[in-house]
Amino acid sequence: VIRAGILITGTEVLSGAVTDRNGPWLSRRLQEAGIEVAHICTVGDRRQDLIATLSMMRRQRLQLIVTSGGLGPTADDLTVAVLADHLGLPLVLDEALRQRIELIVGALARRMPRSREAFDAGNRKQATIPSGAIVLDPVGTAPGLVLDPKGSTADAASASAGPAPIVVVLPGPPRELQPMWADAVGTEPLKRLLAATGAGEIRTMRLFGIPESVLAETLRDAEAAGVQLARLEVTTCQHRGELEITTRVPEGESDAYRHLERFLAERHGEELFSRDGSTVDEQVANLLRGRETIAVAESCTGGMLAARLTDLAGSSEYVLGGIVAYSNEAKVALAGVPAGLIEAHGAVSEEVVRSLAEGARSRLRAGIGAGVTGIAGPGGATDEKPVGLVWIAVAGPGGAVVARRVQLPGGRAEVRERAVTVAMHMLRRALLAASAALSPSP
Amino acid sequence: VIRAGILITGTEVLSGAVTDRNGPWLSRRLQEAGIEVAHICTVGDRRQDLIATLSMMRRQRLQLIVTSGGLGPTADDLTVAVLADHLGLPLVLDEALRQRIELIVGALARRMPRSREAFDAGNRKQATIPSGAIVLDPVGTAPGLVLDPKGSTADAASASAGPAPIVVVLPGPPRELQPMWADAVGTEPLKRLLAATGAGEIRTMRLFGIPESVLAETLRDAEAAGVQLARLEVTTCQHRGELEITTRVPEGESDAYRHLERFLAERHGEELFSRDGSTVDEQVANLLRGRETIAVAESCTGGMLAARLTDLAGSSEYVLGGIVAYSNEAKVALAGVPAGLIEAHGAVSEEVVRSLAEGARSRLRAGIGAGVTGIAGPGGATDEKPVGLVWIAVAGPGGAVVARRVQLPGGRAEVRERAVTVAMHMLRRALLAASAALSPSP
């Protein structure tokens, strides 16, 4: 097995000011390529901490290290200098690269003449790279690097720290990092490394509606029933109320995986909604596309359901729009909820959520309407209507309206997020039922 | 300086399936307490990788390690066993704790009698803890621990790995981890540690509208002008189009910080929108609360602006609602945009965005209306209207409508996110102008 470490640098990520998207993204790419990820480590722009993490990764004899960040024009960006030092590679100014960077930042520099000197210093810094490095063309202004120091004259100290890994150095902004990773994969050192992975494959299943402890029991029962779990690397995790089962299937072990899949499908047929790794969002999109249109009217989720439905490219084909009916007045004016209904039952009630779903559908002339109303907290709760109480309804396709009451755990953000997930699953079921009703019986 | 490491465990986080929220959250709490965070490391549920990371943290002589996750009832949750082993602490079954966990999960177990055995095994596992550990009461089912192995009989091997740090062991779900961290802070070992920090304070400023390289130049100029930057730990980062400057101000160095703050305010008065660390979301909320009401009509952001406005608790006081006018029909039917306007200028145009903002305001009888329409991509672009082109308008307070055209970088998700940020800043400016117009001149 080829193993890798991911090193995310940047005080902003370490301090919690910015959520790191690169670690998870790189991890998925590496796993898809059959590489096992040992660590994702985030360190600030401090030399000693960078070195400690690099040393740890080398001591573990990881064959690949991917870094993100620390390539900016400012002095607190240390990644390249520390790597060169740690791997025993001399730094050199790559004049051709400097000119390329100058071209890129030139337009910006001309608009701000006062900053000319800052740009020049920054360009020189970004063009100073370890000797022998393969340059990855900048998408923003920072070039990436692939270091393959096997043949180099690493000093004794660093040699004793373990064999030198291939190091891929990428910038921090995700929109620069992602295309540059694709370039890195095309370089000789990575092509060689990837050819050596005994790949196998990663398979994902998803369940909705059972707790993790019940799944754990199912896995034990599967083993007792002869499913060869030991040949697979199975991990389970809970996420926004869903369970995800990720399995690394080594080459030649697909029988064991099929056995596991069958066992789960028999035991949890209702809950196992994805056997191909697709998310509920993708499934709902596929069920809608070319067949139905949708509109939503939401209160406590305040636009999050509409935002999630329009998250996928191409959603304008089937999402007509939505109503954020946060105030009672908006419920009446925009979604056509009768004011008397709110007065009689309260804004968080089965009657109102049904009216929201139907109002969204009829106002926007959609095939399907969805409604959400609930107590996200921390305020607004009563004895009968505690924080986390949410009503969700789906109107159509066809005429019927299905409403469901759930009591969700957590604080405001979690209640809102989970309510959207429940709504997505209700939409999925309604769409599946409608498409089953349409298809000829077997 | 007291330094800490954060160790996030769990294959689901390492694999990128789940975004880690605990690392950033714990990092902010530690920094607020005056503790410097050296690393946030994510590892899977693999013994050797857990040990490598723990060893690295001990070799760096960190005085505190906080772990999250790996406390579940299933066999792949290893944190406690590995920690006990690594620190040379024997594991013992805490019978009182077992009974407490049993009480908590009892209700669930009764509803699923078939799972009785699974629950019993899980309870025993979760109640088996290192001898001498301080137990943090479970919020979910998993107890947390505070380990202070200073006086214990750690074996020679682990003693050579560096002095034993205090280890706080917390569960993975954020809604369990966060209250349990508050409990941990109240235990004797942490009280002692926190009393020893030479605190100082963390200050944050935020800017909107200049690139990072210009800020870097400003900092160099500040230093040249006598601002004692070397006495401060200043870090800058870019996030959703904003720049954040985080400064660690040691005790006795507040003059140096005030000097820096003044320099930035003079150079970037327009762009420096936050000197107290408040976010634009909080500022907009404060400007709205008790004074104005708001409604939005958004197209390409598909509900994200409404979702962001309703993200803060108490937002129902001033957010009346929103319209997700994704289709042209919805723009007409819900926001009252004249169909001829869309035909004449296209849905992504100044005319339509003004009409959206005014439509949101009038339809919901709000004091302020905001409108967003743009090309989020990847489809829908033309030569004149490329991906990233977004029009944003704010109507009122009062009568005026301000519209702005921006060309945003990145892919679909980034364009949508940044468009919302630009809208928040336009709302802030409109609200500030309105409140300045109302207050008596000095």
Side-chain angles (χ1 to χ4, degrees):
Chain A
V1 182
I2 291 178
R3 304 184 80 220
I6 299 172
L7 176 54
I8 308 293
T9 72
T11 308
E12 67 281 14
V13 179
L14 184 67
S15 71
V18 172
T19 302
D20 168 49
R21 284 160 52 199
N22 293 333
W25 190 87
L26 288 167
S27 180
R28 285 193 298 269
R29 294 301 85 73
L30 290 168
Q31 286 173 89
E32 284 164 8
I35 292 175
E36 183 173 294
V37 176
H39 312 261
I40 303 174
C41 283
T42 302
V43 301
D45 298 308
R46 287 192 205 97
R47 180 174 292 268
Q48 97 231 44
D49 297 338
L50 276 166
I51 291 172
T53 311
L54 285 171
S55 303
M56 187 256 297
M57 290 180 174
R58 289 185 65 180
R59 227 176 274 115
Q60 280 208 289
R61 309 191 165 255
L62 305 183
Q63 283 147 284
L64 175 65
I65 296 176
V66 185
T67 75
S68 116
L71 306 184
T74 54
D76 58 351
D77 286 309
L78 300 168
T79 303
V80 172
V82 168
L83 271 171
D85 194 29
H86 186 69
L87 297 169
L89 301 168
L91 281 170
V92 290
L93 174 66
D94 182 329
E95 178 55 27
L97 179 60
R98 193 195 64 74
Q99 288 176 18
R100 243 183 308 162
I101 296 173
E102 195 173 60
L103 258 171
I104 296 168
V105 301
L108 192 53
R110 271 189 297 279
R111 271 190 283 145
M112 303 185 184
R114 206 165 53 71
S115 306
R116 183 74 235 181
E117 213 174 303
F119 281 113
D120 283 347
N123 297 350
R124 265 195 312 278
K125 175 178 179 294
Q126 291 186 309
T128 301
I129 60 175
S131 137
I134 300 169
V135 174
L136 303 170
D137 270 342
V139 169
T141 68
L145 302 170
V146 176
L147 309 177
D148 184 16
K150 291 260 157 61
S152 81
T153 55
D155 62 41
S158 52
S160 76
I166 295 172
V167 184
V168 179
V169 183
L170 299 169
R175 74 193 164 89
E176 299 180 23
L177 175 136
Q178 294 178 10
M180 288 168 74
W181 168 252
D183 288 350
V185 166
T187 62
E188 278 309 317
L190 259 88
K191 275 203 270 187
R192 242 183 299 123
L193 193 71
L194 292 174
T197 63
E201 53 171 349
I202 303 283
R203 296 290 301 271
T204 301
M205 292 183 269
R206 295 174 202 276
L207 297 103
F208 178 71
I210 57 166
E212 199 171 4
S213 60
V214 168
L215 177 59
E217 193 195 11
T218 298
L219 291 177
R220 278 192 297 272
D221 291 351
E223 195 145 32
V227 176
Q228 304 261 317
L229 279 188
R231 299 196 172 161
L232 307 168
E233 190 176 327
V234 179
T235 56
T236 67
C237 83
Q238 189 154 22
H239 179 44
R240 299 200 294 204
E242 294 177 353
L243 288 177
E244 187 177 83
I245 306 175
T246 307
T247 307
R248 185 182 172 74
V249 186
E251 270 178 71
E253 297 299 345
S254 47
D255 275 353
Y257 184 74
R258 264 195 299 274
H259 199 167
L260 167 66
E261 201 179 1
R262 217 161 40 228
F263 194 91
L264 280 164
E266 273 162 27
R267 175 79 61 99
H268 302 299
E270 267 298 290
E271 293 85 7
L272 181 67
F273 70 91
S274 173
R275 296 166 73 156
D276 62 359
S278 60
T279 62
V280 67
D281 296 31
E282 289 161 351
Q283 294 185 8
V284 166
N286 287 334
L287 288 163
L288 286 166
R289 192 176 299 121
R291 279 193 257 183
E292 285 290 354
T293 55
I294 186 168
V296 304
E298 43 187 326
S299 181
C300 63
T301 46
M304 291 171 73
L305 177 56
R308 192 155 154 191
L309 283 167
T310 57
D311 194 38
L312 297 178
S315 50
S316 58
E317 265 185 57
Y318 48 84
V319 179
L320 298 185
I323 293 162
V324 181
Y326 217 56
S327 63
N328 287 344
E329 292 71 29
K331 292 181 183 71
V332 175
L334 291 180
V337 178
L341 212 60
I342 300 177
E343 219 166 287
H345 305 282
V348 179
S349 62
E350 175 164 7
E351 289 78 6
V352 168
V353 83
R354 284 176 173 270
S355 182
L356 283 170
E358 288 178 318
R361 182 171 58 170
S362 64
R363 291 278 162 123
L364 282 145
R365 295 183 210 192
I368 303 175
V372 185
T373 179
I375 316 279
T382 63
D383 281 354
E384 301 89 65
K385 297 184 178 176
V387 168
L389 170 68
V390 180
W391 276 99
I392 302 164
V394 173
V401 182
V402 179
R404 201 178 143 195
R405 179 190 188 279
V406 287
Q407 180 61 46
L408 301 170
R412 182 176 177 83
E414 201 172 359
V415 167
R416 279 161 44 105
E417 190 179 49
R418 288 213 180 195
V420 175
T421 297
V422 176
M424 294 302 290
H425 280 278
M426 285 179 66
L427 284 171
R428 174 181 169 272
R429 288 196 181 169
L431 287 161
L432 278 178
S435 94
L438 284 178
S439 36
S441 36
Chain B
V1 181
I2 291 177
R3 303 184 80 221
I6 299 172
L7 176 54
I8 308 294
T9 72
T11 308
E12 67 279 15
V13 180
L14 182 67
S15 71
V18 171
T19 302
D20 169 48
R21 285 160 51 198
N22 293 332
W25 189 88
L26 288 167
S27 180
R28 286 195 296 268
R29 296 300 86 71
L30 290 168
Q31 286 173 90
E32 284 164 10
I35 292 175
E36 184 173 291
V37 176
H39 312 261
I40 304 175
C41 284
T42 302
V43 300
D45 299 308
R46 287 192 206 98
R47 180 174 292 268
Q48 97 229 47
D49 297 338
L50 277 164
I51 291 172
T53 312
L54 285 170
S55 302
M56 187 255 298
M57 290 181 175
R58 289 184 65 179
R59 226 177 273 116
Q60 280 208 288
R61 306 190 168 257
L62 305 183
Q63 284 148 286
L64 175 66
I65 296 175
V66 185
T67 75
S68 113
L71 305 184
T74 53
D76 58 351
D77 286 309
L78 300 168
T79 303
V80 172
V82 168
L83 272 171
D85 194 29
H86 186 70
L87 297 169
L89 300 169
L91 282 170
V92 289
L93 173 67
D94 183 328
E95 177 55 26
L97 179 59
R98 194 194 63 73
Q99 288 178 17
R100 244 185 305 163
I101 296 172
E102 195 173 61
L103 259 170
I104 296 168
V105 299
L108 191 52
R110 269 190 297 280
R111 271 191 283 145
M112 305 187 183
R114 206 165 52 72
S115 307
R116 184 74 232 181
E117 213 174 302
F119 280 114
D120 284 345
N123 297 349
R124 265 195 311 279
K125 174 177 179 293
Q126 291 186 309
T128 300
I129 59 176
S131 140
I134 300 169
V135 174
L136 304 170
D137 270 341
V139 169
T141 68
L145 301 170
V146 177
L147 309 177
D148 184 18
K150 290 261 156 62
S152 82
T153 55
D155 62 41
S158 52
S160 76
I166 294 172
V167 184
V168 179
V169 182
L170 299 170
R175 73 192 164 89
E176 298 180 24
L177 175 138
Q178 294 179 9
M180 288 167 75
W181 168 252
D183 288 350
V185 167
T187 62
E188 278 311 314
L190 261 89
K191 275 203 271 188
R192 243 184 298 123
L193 193 72
L194 293 173
T197 63
E201 52 170 349
I202 303 285
R203 297 291 301 272
T204 301
M205 292 183 270
R206 295 173 203 275
L207 298 102
F208 178 71
I210 56 167
E212 199 171 7
S213 61
V214 169
L215 177 60
E217 192 194 14
T218 298
L219 291 177
R220 279 191 297 271
D221 291 351
E223 197 147 30
V227 176
Q228 305 263 315
L229 279 188
R231 299 195 174 164
L232 307 168
E233 189 175 329
V234 179
T235 55
T236 67
C237 82
Q238 190 155 22
H239 179 44
R240 299 198 295 204
E242 294 178 354
L243 288 177
E244 186 176 84
I245 307 174
T246 307
T247 309
R248 186 183 171 75
V249 187
E251 269 177 72
E253 297 299 345
S254 45
D255 275 354
Y257 185 75
R258 263 194 299 275
H259 199 167
L260 167 66
E261 200 180 358
R262 218 160 40 229
F263 194 92
L264 279 164
E266 275 162 26
R267 175 79 61 98
H268 303 298
E270 268 297 291
E271 292 86 6
L272 181 67
F273 70 90
S274 173
R275 297 166 72 156
D276 61 358
S278 60
T279 62
V280 68
D281 294 31
E282 289 161 352
Q283 294 185 9
V284 166
N286 287 334
L287 288 162
L288 286 166
R289 193 176 298 121
R291 279 191 257 184
E292 284 291 354
T293 54
I294 185 167
V296 304
E298 43 189 324
S299 181
C300 64
T301 45
M304 291 170 74
L305 177 56
R308 192 154 156 193
L309 283 166
T310 57
D311 192 38
L312 296 178
S315 50
S316 57
E317 265 185 56
Y318 48 84
V319 179
L320 298 185
I323 293 163
V324 180
Y326 217 56
S327 63
N328 287 346
E329 291 70 30
K331 292 182 183 69
V332 175
L334 291 179
V337 178
L341 213 60
I342 300 177
E343 219 164 288
H345 306 280
V348 179
S349 62
E350 174 164 8
E351 290 78 5
V352 167
V353 82
R354 285 175 174 271
S355 182
L356 283 171
E358 288 177 318
R361 182 170 57 170
S362 66
R363 292 276 163 127
L364 283 147
R365 297 183 206 190
I368 302 174
V372 184
T373 180
I375 315 280
T382 63
D383 281 354
E384 300 91 64
K385 297 184 179 177
V387 169
L389 169 68
V390 181
W391 276 100
I392 303 165
V394 173
V401 182
V402 179
R404 202 179 142 194
R405 179 188 188 281
V406 287
Q407 181 62 46
L408 301 171
R412 181 176 177 83
E414 201 172 359
V415 167
R416 281 163 42 105
E417 191 178 48
R418 288 213 181 194
V420 174
T421 297
V422 176
M424 294 303 290
H425 280 277
M426 285 180 67
L427 284 171
R428 173 181 170 273
R429 286 194 183 171
L431 286 161
L432 279 178
S435 96
L438 284 177
S439 35
S441 36

